[in-house]
Amino acid sequence: MNKKPEMRSGLDRLRHSIIYEGVFLFLTVLILKDILNQPVAHIGSFGIIMSLMAMIWNFFYNCAFDHVLIFFKHPLYPRGFKLRVCHSVSFEVGFMLASVPFTMIWMRFSFIQALTMDIVFTMAALTYTLIFNYAYDVIFPVPPAVPD
């Protein structure tokens, strides 16, 4: 008897994205408004759009990541530190392809300014992502595999 791979449901992924982005948006606006000396509304709007972009990317990226693991017959869970690092870094690199051009337009930054901000922000996001995903796995564990 074969077991189905242990994958999170679409609703669980949606909950993950909403909680992740909500907490991250709050922290981002709280910190960036002072660092960039910008109004909360401008930073908040920027953060909401980036958050929506990230949520869409997050959903599709995580589904694809799981399918790649399944294709290579790698267990989905538990996810050790090395796999979490790989997951987080590859997510952020992919997201930067959209976030740097958007940052240039919204913040009226040069490419170098937008790239610098994105790299610094990404380093902070990587740390947050590692901590958040570890905590999420502990708080919302994956249900056991179901036999076929």
Side-chain angles (χ1 to χ4, degrees):
M1 181 164 31
N2 292 332
K3 286 182 164 184
K4 284 183 161 182
E6 302 161 351
M7 290 184 67
R8 292 192 177 275
S9 69
L11 286 175
D12 187 34
R13 291 184 188 285
L14 181 61
R15 173 180 58 193
H16 175 276
S17 293
I18 290 170
I19 295 170
Y20 176 96
E21 293 300 330
V23 172
F24 199 53
L25 179 61
F26 174 77
L27 294 172
T28 298
V29 171
L30 191 69
I31 294 166
L32 284 184
K33 71 178 180 55
D34 293 329
I35 292 174
L36 297 177
N37 196 26
Q38 296 282 332
V40 170
H42 186 70
I43 295 296
S45 299
F46 173 77
I48 289 169
I49 294 167
M50 290 285 282
S51 179
L52 290 172
M53 288 170 46
M55 285 176 70
I56 292 166
W57 171 238
N58 186 30
F59 180 82
F60 289 107
Y61 173 81
N62 283 323
C63 287
F65 192 87
D66 285 354
H67 285 288
V68 167
L69 292 178
I70 290 168
F71 179 80
F72 287 108
K73 298 182 181 4
H74 188 285
L76 296 177
Y77 298 97
R79 294 187 178 186
F81 182 76
K82 287 180 184 178
L83 187 57
R84 279 286 176 211
V85 169
C86 175
H87 178 266
S88 299
V89 169
S90 58
F91 172 88
E92 293 299 336
V93 168
F95 186 62
M96 283 177 73
L97 295 174
S99 62
V100 169
F102 177 72
T103 300
M104 288 172 62
I105 293 165
W106 190 268
M107 301 300 286
R108 295 186 173 102
F109 283 175
S110 69
F111 173 75
I112 296 299
Q113 287 173 312
L115 182 62
T116 301
M117 180 174 158
D118 210 297
I119 289 170
V120 170
F121 194 75
T122 297
M123 298 310 291
L126 284 171
T127 304
Y128 172 75
T129 300
L130 282 166
I131 294 167
F132 180 88
N133 284 329
Y134 179 79
Y136 190 86
D137 286 347
V138 170
I139 296 167
F140 301 105
V142 177
V146 178
D148 284 330

